[in-house]
Amino acid sequence: MNRREFLGTGVAGVGGVLAGTTRPTLPWMATESAGGTHLPMRGRLKLSASRWPWGKFSLDDMCKMCRDLGMQGVDLLEPEDWGVPLRYGLVCSMGYAPVPHPDNRLTDGFSRVENHAWLIPAYQKAIPLAAASKVPNVICFPGSRRGQSDEEGREICERGLAPLIPIAERSGVTLCMELLNSKVDHPDYQADHTAWGVALAKKINSPRFKLLYDIYHMQIMEGDVIRTVTDNMKYIGHFHTGGVPGRHEIDETQELNYHRVMQAIADAGFTGFVAQEFVPTRDPRASLAQAVQICTV
């Protein structure tokens, strides 16, 4: 299941996971006592969780859960929700821009000239709003290829993003273009390899434009995760997690050693957020708690 499919089906999938489950007691989970919640030890990385896989919870309840697990943010919120995490000592670690057709975000992006007429004004509005709401990053997408060459797509993206970069620099907000796989989840998506995104980042040449490196997606497309992120950390502003195959828990049930990946990211001096973006198959809170433990380095 990918983000578009999940949003299209609502929260029924998570509801099915919750039904009939009990919360296990795990050594890394926050524990309850008369004095309140004892938070787990914080490591070198800032951790957050994407909103959509935990859609069964209200946003307030999700913020409480993230706070109690020692996390620092909630990812992928619309502008009207950016202020909610602040009430819990968190931030929205990655925000959406308010575009006219949100269901088409991943297909209709900056790589098509015809989209610039509505994308540019939407982001011109979103970036200062993000700064005011303490949102450090706003996500963006190139969209589908539709027959374009890689070079043409990059050139058009650069043209569409050019008016936004000075606003982002003045506002202290980073535009992050997400890398997604075109093999399993998002056929024809343009930014499906790290090299494509790095080439665009080099052309734009601004500290306020970086890549959202989704580990799940790039493991599917190219693997070699640790060397790739270490070599290109200058151009990466944000990470998403997810187990391969299936985009479920990041534990021993999937093929990557996520704890080692997180160590490499921290060792490379990364200062942004790592956001959990997997669809839990067990108790959602327990799975998120386990992910926090795995990513605490």
Side-chain angles (χ1 to χ4, degrees), residues 48-66:
S48 62
S50 293
R51 173 72 177 123
W52 65 272
W54 284 270
K56 178 67 176 180
F57 298 94
S58 71
L59 181 54
D60 284 280
D61 285 344
M62 184 179 178
C63 289
K64 292 175 186 176
M65 175 174 64
C66 290

Side-chain angles (χ1 to χ4, degrees), residues 77-293:
L77 298 180
E78 301 287 354
E80 59 266 27
D81 292 326
W82 288 350
V84 178
L86 296 175
R87 301 203 293 262
Y88 300 91
L90 309 175
V91 298
C92 170
S93 48
M94 179 69 69
Y96 282 121
V99 296
H101 307 290
D103 291 343
N104 297 333
R105 279 187 173 111
L106 304 183
T107 56
D108 297 336
F110 280 95
S111 66
R112 307 299 299 190
V113 174
E114 59 267 29
N115 296 335
H116 292 178
W118 53 269
L119 277 173
I120 291 173
Y123 279 81
Q124 286 172 327
K125 176 182 178 181
I127 294 168
L129 287 176
S133 299
K134 300 182 180 180
V135 178
N137 306 294
V138 174
I139 196 169
C140 62
F141 309 94
S144 300
R145 283 189 173 88
R146 297 189 177 100
Q148 281 183 335
S149 68
D150 282 352
E151 183 57 38
E152 182 184 11
R154 277 195 298 268
E155 189 273 332
I156 296 174
C157 279
E158 182 185 14
R159 286 162 51 190
L161 291 165
L164 305 176
I165 299 302
I167 304 172
E169 291 175 345
R170 291 194 301 270
S171 301
V173 173
T174 303
L175 292 172
C176 291
M177 181 166 282
E178 187 166 19
L179 304 174
L180 302 173
N181 84 76
S182 60
K183 181 179 178 181
V184 176
D185 297 293
H186 304 290
D188 204 41
Y189 186 76
Q190 185 127 50
D192 61 353
H193 282 82
T194 307
W196 188 94
V198 168
L200 177 60
K202 288 179 177 179
K203 288 170 73 72
I204 292 175
N205 191 29
S206 170
R208 290 302 171 184
F209 177 81
K210 292 186 181 290
L211 304 176
L212 194 173
Y213 186 98
D214 190 305
I215 299 169
Y216 161 80
H217 287 291
M218 291 301 97
Q219 170 67 2
I220 290 173
M221 291 303 298
E222 58 193 28
D224 201 16
V225 170
I226 289 178
R227 179 165 59 178
T228 300
V229 300
T230 300
D231 289 349
N232 296 289
M233 192 61 77
K234 176 181 177 181
Y235 305 105
I236 297 172
H238 201 80
F239 286 93
H240 280 168
T241 74
V244 178
R247 198 180 196 120
H248 298 304
E249 282 82 357
I250 61 172
D251 57 14
E252 71 281 355
T253 62
Q254 51 85 54
E255 65 191 31
L256 277 177
N257 181 345
Y258 258 96
H259 190 69
R260 178 67 192 96
V261 171
M262 293 300 126
Q263 287 177 326
I265 290 171
D267 289 346
F270 181 69
T271 59
F273 279 86
V274 175
Q276 308 300 328
E277 198 186 23
F278 61 86
V279 179
T281 61
R282 303 187 293 273
D283 181 301
R285 191 184 191 281
S287 291
L288 186 58
Q290 182 188 40
V292 170
Q293 187 268 342

Side-chain angles (χ1 to χ4, degrees), residues 30-33 35-40 67-69 285:
T31 57
E32 304 294 333
S33 71
T37 299
H38 298 297
L39 302 183
R67 177 199 63 192
D68 291 349
L69 292 175
R285 191 184 191 281

